[in-house]
Amino acid sequence: MKIIKETNQDKVPTSINKIILLIVIAFVFSVATRMVWVYEFKGVEQFKFNNELMINTNDGYYYAEGARDRIAGTHQENDLSPIDSSASILAAGVAKITPFSIETILLYLPAIFGSLLVIPLILIGHSINRIEVGFIAALVGSIAHSYYNRTMVGYYDTDLLNIVFPTILMWSLAWALKTKEDKYILLMAVDIIAYRWWYAQSYSLEFAFFGLILIYAIYEYVKKEDYKFTMILLTFMMFSISGLDILYRILIIILMFTLLHYKKEIFQKYMIYFFLASVITFFASGIFDLIWGRLESYVFDGASNLNKGELNLHFYTVVQTIREAGSISFVTFGERISGSVFAFLLSFGGYIWLCKKHPIMLLGLPLVGLGFLALSSGLRFTIYAVPVMALGIAFLISELSRKVSKQRIMQTIVASVLTVLVLLPNINHAMEYKVPPVFTKDEVIVLDQLRSIANREDYVVSWWDYGYPIRYYADVKTLIDGGKHTGEVNFPTSFALTNPQDVAAKMLRLDVEYTEKKFALEKAIKDAKDSGKARNKTQDEIDLKRTNIASMTIDNGFKDTNDFLTALSSDIKMLPKTRDIYIHMPSNMMGIYPTIKLFSGINLMDGSMNANPFFFTTSTFSENNEFIELGDGLRLSKSDGILKVGENSVKIKRFVKTEYDIEGKLKVSTQDMAFDGSLSVIYMTNYKQFLVVDEATFSSTYFKLFVLEDYDKKFFEPTILTPLVKVYKLKI
Ligand code: MN
């Protein structure tokens, strides 16, 4: 069997005009489907800011911050702004060459770049002389469930090119092997280098492609076929994948290609040396360790070492709260790749058939493999399988239509009907997938005001979900964000939000100053390294590894962090104040209060979890003369203030009612009930929300500051108070 073969039936040359036309049609289809979201929401004023719809992914604000600072040409030291990230460079670059606002660019770029997937898919079809297969695959793949989700309008993330690059790689390798023309080697190398620049973790997929080509070279060798071209291909691949600096890799590829192009005989003569050099470069540049480490992390679940520094503190791990990381069901898996399980099974069968007829399509295996990792490692991987499975179903449709009739027109009708059937669940999904923007206009207005109040060096403390948007809109620093939210960094913020104001204020001041202290240490180490000054390396290592909370404990002379936490309410050593701190509390933080509490609800010394707080909230309740029915078995008696929790009766300590008056000022009325009661009932009139909480939650900083506006003047002062978001400034 020859791997690269053509059947007679397939020898229908396609004109370049036809290819371009099909690409344009598929591209327009892909973008148009994504525009449904825009038409759905364009009339919603609350979803707009600066006259543009706002993006719908938290991470998008990360790249937005980098792009904003790139355009401004400056940013603050240690503000974590990713000005050198590829996605920020792309957005800022497009802003420079087009008249559009950064908001418009961030909104539409995912739809436009994500839709570029149709190009390699159509060209892959062309490479096996089955343009219609490529075209159908382009229609299906470009809007397939999970691919749509991650490249929809407003989803500004590296995903917008993460599938396009490896699909181009698959196409260039197919063409290279088929034509044995040098130019496709160059295309392949450029694609790999660009892919790595765009997405630093792309090496595992690139390496999988390399492995596949290597197997093919061995196959050729064993079959005594000419394997020289494949060896050249492997050499270029290895250099492109290696961990050398991008400039060196570009230089090496240019030099080697020039030699290959003009002095092929020399290149072939010394082929084996080039190959060996590429292997040595590959291993010496350290990229293999990264690949190996990644494989290991897939195989073993990478349980993190809880022991940080010499205090051996135990932190709550964020993985425990993120659903995405878990495994998914086969139904979800199939739906996300092909729109339905049925379509997925057909796609899979179609792909096997495709490979049997056109073995070169085995080049899709690395993408399929990575996509199938979703079954064990979470749904974010499914998108990798999308383009290849789309080729599978497209091939099946094309073959079936050929079986049904010999007439061209009949074939087209059958293929069209089947394609529409496969597309429908995916189009349906796109219509129904109405993710709102991350923030509403009213929430953003608060951050926009805060930008003119707070200094760029000031900290705005909030839960990590709000980190990136806060930094983008208010241009300040944050303690935690979408990329910095391990148990150890979340602890102080969690502690501050869920504990009384005095200890919260001290904890926030300490955490900010210790965070800055660590930045200063990192800088000192770097400066010493640059200038060749000697430092105590062992001490530096210990200091770098030490968490802020451990530093606080040790610097105050404690050996037990719990003792330090207890001492917080009395007299402890503070670091000098270097900047202002604001605490940002949106109303929807209420819904995640129990989750926030988890991160400080752990005994840092032994890792045991404290009892969960009593925390109940509802906006669906009913009332009669005697009772208020809160649902979930909770019923409040109006006459004696007894709360029935299932079969138990609990005494209510107080009943609190909050309400905005005509001037928009919050009025709080408290009715004391049983002195020895343990729970408080709060009715937030304007939110139409009942809360039933224990005493610890009632006296937490979030409840006092957000729900009751009962701030301790020694520690906090109000900065911006709106029903949706409240911002206070720390006074210590
Ligand atoms: Mn900044």
Side-chain angles (χ1 to χ4, degrees):
M1 178 184 80
K2 204 153 159 19
I3 291 282
I4 296 142
K5 59 163 191 181
E6 279 163 24
T7 56
N8 283 334
Q9 186 193 11
D10 296 337
K11 279 215 166 121
V12 190
T14 313
S15 74
I16 184 84
N17 285 341
K18 187 178 173 189
I19 296 173
I20 291 172
L21 179 69
L22 291 178
I23 286 176
V24 170
I25 293 172
F27 184 81
V28 169
F29 167 76
S30 172
V31 173
T33 306
R34 282 163 173 79
M35 290 304 286
V36 172
W37 187 88
V38 176
Y39 284 98
E40 201 74 53
F41 285 146
K42 70 171 187 209
V44 186
E45 264 320 295
Q46 273 301 317
F47 289 173
K48 286 183 176 174
F49 190 69
N50 274 347
N51 280 323
E52 188 58 272
L53 280 166
M54 291 181 283
I55 59 174
N56 45 42
T57 162
N58 260 307
D59 288 358
Y61 282 114
Y62 174 67
Y63 304 112
E65 181 190 20
R68 178 202 68 200
D69 289 344
R70 268 196 98 76
I71 292 167
T74 174
H75 78 116
Q76 291 66 53
E77 217 180 333
N78 300 318
D79 63 1
L80 309 182
S81 174
I83 54 156
D84 292 322
S85 74
S86 54
S88 296
I89 294 174
L90 178 72
V94 175
K96 204 166 196 176
I97 57 170
T98 64
F100 302 115
S101 71
I102 189 75
E103 276 86 2
T104 303
I105 289 166
L106 294 166
L107 189 72
Y108 291 106
L109 235 47
I112 292 166
F113 277 81
S115 297
L116 291 177
L117 181 65
V118 303
I119 299 175
L121 278 175
I122 288 176
L123 293 176
I124 285 170
H126 180 54
S127 74
I128 53 169
N129 281 326
R130 296 288 292 268
I131 192 81
E132 79 283 3
V133 172
F135 181 64
I136 296 170
L139 296 179
V140 175
S142 64
I143 63 151
H145 192 122
S146 59
Y147 191 65
Y148 173 84
N149 286 8
R150 301 190 75 119
T151 55
M152 65 185 288
V153 170
Y155 200 93
Y156 197 79
D157 199 278
T158 49
D159 286 327
L160 63 93
L161 280 174
N162 272 356
I163 306 303
V164 176
F165 279 125
T167 312
I168 293 176
L169 182 57
M170 179 180 167
W171 167 67
S172 60
L173 286 172
W175 269 101
L177 291 178
K178 183 183 155 166
T179 62
K180 295 193 189 279
E181 279 179 40
D182 298 342
K183 61 183 179 202
Y184 296 110
I185 295 185
L186 186 63
L187 180 71
M188 177 272 312
V190 169
D191 181 70
I192 288 179
I193 292 172
Y195 189 20
R196 180 78 55 79
W197 171 77
W198 177 253
Y199 185 59
Q201 288 91 48
S202 64
Y203 47 75
S204 5
L205 193 54
E206 294 158 11
F207 188 63
F209 275 107
F210 175 84
L212 205 59
I213 305 291
L214 185 67
I215 291 170
Y216 180 56
I218 294 169
Y219 168 88
E220 285 179 315
Y221 178 78
V222 172
K223 290 272 169 183
K224 301 211 164 32
E225 287 169 17
D226 180 16
Y227 60 91
K228 268 204 201 77
F229 181 85
T230 315
M231 285 296 281
I232 296 172
L233 188 62
L234 284 172
T235 306
F236 274 81
M237 255 186 129
M238 206 108 196
F239 273 119
S240 315
I241 297 173
S242 81
L244 288 181
D245 191 83
I246 182 165
L247 288 176
Y248 289 119
R249 281 184 286 143
I250 293 173
L251 198 68
I252 290 172
I253 295 300
I254 291 175
L255 289 177
M256 280 203 323
F257 189 75
T258 313
L259 185 66
L260 178 69
H261 200 68
Y262 294 102
K263 293 265 182 279
K264 197 162 200 162
E265 56 301 333
I266 296 185
F267 198 96
Q268 283 176 338
K269 193 173 163 199
Y270 297 105
M271 191 35 247
I272 191 72
Y273 297 103
F274 282 109
F275 183 73
L276 283 177
S278 75
V279 173
I280 292 166
T281 307
F282 180 82
F283 283 96
S285 65
I287 196 77
F288 187 74
D289 305 329
L290 285 176
I291 295 168
W292 189 246
R294 192 142 259 250
L295 275 175
E296 262 185 336
S297 80
Y298 287 149
V299 178
F300 312 104
D301 59 358
S304 65
N305 180 13
L306 291 174
N307 301 339
K308 288 262 175 159
E310 63 283 38
L311 246 182
N312 285 348
L313 297 181
H314 299 257
F315 292 101
Y316 189 79
T317 53
V318 79
V319 194
Q320 290 166 260
T321 63
I322 293 187
R323 245 166 291 130
E324 197 185 313
S327 56
I328 57 171
S329 76
F330 187 73
V331 174
T332 316
F333 176 76
E335 274 174 1
R336 287 185 57 98
I337 292 174
S338 306
S340 70
V341 177
F342 186 60
F344 171 74
L345 293 173
L346 292 178
S347 309
F348 192 68
Y351 178 59
I352 293 172
W353 192 1
L354 175 64
C355 288
K356 252 190 104 177
K357 234 176 153 184
H358 301 277
I360 200 158
M361 287 296 107
L362 287 168
L363 281 169
L365 280 178
L367 284 164
V368 176
L370 194 50
F372 278 37
L373 258 184
L375 280 172
S376 65
S377 305
L379 45 84
R380 67 201 171 92
F381 288 103
T382 52
I383 48 170
Y384 286 97
V386 165
V388 183
M389 287 299 111
L391 284 166
I393 195 100
F395 184 71
L396 191 70
I397 289 172
S398 169
E399 287 295 301
L400 284 179
S401 70
R402 284 184 181 188
K403 291 253 177 322
V404 169
S405 172
K406 288 251 167 329
Q407 276 175 293
R408 197 66 201 274
I409 183 76
M410 269 310 286
Q411 290 179 356
T412 309
I413 292 170
V414 171
S416 303
V417 170
L418 292 176
T419 304
V420 169
L421 285 177
V422 174
L423 284 174
L424 271 179
N426 294 297
I427 292 176
N428 256 337
H429 165 74
M431 300 277 191
E432 282 162 15
Y433 195 63
K434 288 176 190 145
V435 262
V438 177
F439 274 168
T440 60
K441 182 184 202 151
D442 289 344
E443 290 170 308
V444 171
I445 285 172
V446 170
L447 292 176
D448 196 48
Q449 286 173 348
L450 192 56
R451 185 165 53 100
S452 51
I453 297 169
N455 194 291
R456 287 197 171 98
E457 283 291 339
D458 292 345
Y459 274 76
V460 173
V461 180
S462 191
W463 197 238
W464 66 259
D465 312 42
Y466 309 101
Y468 292 148
I470 287 174
R471 291 220 301 266
Y472 177 66
Y473 287 117
D475 196 0
V476 287
K477 290 183 167 185
T478 56
L479 286 172
I480 50 179
D481 58 40
K484 184 182 178 190
H485 54 235
T486 52
E488 59 191 75
V489 288
N490 277 350
F491 179 87
T493 302
S494 162
F495 183 89
L497 287 166
T498 60
N499 276 280
Q501 296 177 55
D502 57 336
V503 292
K506 289 180 201 169
M507 178 61 85
L508 289 180
R509 173 56 64 199
L510 284 171
D511 197 33
V512 164
E513 302 304 344
Y514 273 104
T515 301
E516 285 293 325
K517 221 177 139 183
K518 194 168 267 180
F519 287 142
L521 172 69
E522 281 164 2
K523 189 174 185 304
I525 292 172
K526 198 182 162 287
D527 287 350
K529 207 176 155 196
D530 292 347
S531 64
K533 266 209 323 248
R535 284 182 65 94
N536 183 342
K537 275 209 173 110
T538 351
Q539 190 57 45
D540 280 347
E541 246 165 58
I542 293 173
D543 291 345
L544 278 179
K545 247 171 79 181
R546 192 182 283 168
T547 59
N548 287 354
I549 181 74
S551 297
M552 296 174 206
T553 306
I554 292 165
D555 291 354
N556 274 283
F558 292 104
K559 288 201 166 63
D560 185 322
T561 295
N562 293 325
D563 294 339
F564 163 72
L565 293 175
T566 311
L568 256 185
S569 53
S570 53
D571 211 18
I572 49 131
K573 204 168 112 192
M574 298 298 291
L575 292 183
K577 169 181 172 176
T578 61
R579 64 204 67 226
D580 282 328
I581 299 172
Y582 297 84
I583 184 163
H584 166 271
M585 293 175 292
S587 82
N588 51 24
M589 206 182 244
M590 185 73 76
I592 55 171
Y593 184 92
T595 309
I596 293 175
K597 179 73 196 171
L598 286 174
F599 286 86
S600 57
I602 185 169
N603 184 330
L604 295 182
M605 297 308 290
D606 62 18
S608 62
M609 294 300 292
N610 302 344
N612 287 334
F614 189 97
F615 181 92
F616 177 83
T617 154
T618 182
S619 357
T620 53
F621 50 86
S622 58
E623 196 174 352
N624 59 29
N625 286 336
E626 286 172 71
F627 299 107
I628 301 173
E629 290 281 357
L630 297 173
D632 264 1
L634 266 69
R635 165 194 275 191
L636 183 66
S637 161
K638 283 181 164 177
S639 53
D640 54 6
I642 296 285
L643 182 76
K644 283 254 190 201
V645 183
E647 292 300 300
N648 304 322
S649 296
V650 186
K651 280 191 218 162
I652 292 300
K653 194 176 176 70
R654 57 178 86 77
F655 184 84
V656 182
K657 190 175 162 189
T658 72
E659 190 169 15
Y660 282 100
D661 66 13
I662 306 168
E663 273 128 51
K665 269 190 82 72
L666 189 75
K667 294 281 170 243
V668 180
S669 57
T670 306
Q671 195 183 338
D672 285 317
M673 314 284 279
F675 173 72
D676 56 345
S678 59
L679 298 178
S680 298
V681 175
I682 305 161
Y683 181 58
M684 299 170 79
T685 313
N686 306 82
Y687 304 77
K688 295 191 170 45
Q689 191 172 30
F690 264 103
L691 308 166
V692 184
V693 296
D694 58 18
E695 198 54 15
T697 306
F698 185 79
S699 51
S700 72
T701 298
Y702 179 69
F703 267 66
K704 289 285 184 181
L705 264 48
F706 182 82
V707 181
L708 309 167
E709 295 188 3
D710 179 15
Y711 55 94
D712 185 332
K713 292 189 178 61
K714 277 207 300 283
F715 299 106
F716 293 99
E717 68 183 31
T719 307
I720 303 168
L721 302 181
T722 74
L724 274 179
V725 190
K726 295 179 187 179
V727 180
Y728 290 83
K729 185 176 167 182
L730 201 68
K731 286 179 82 175
I732 61 165

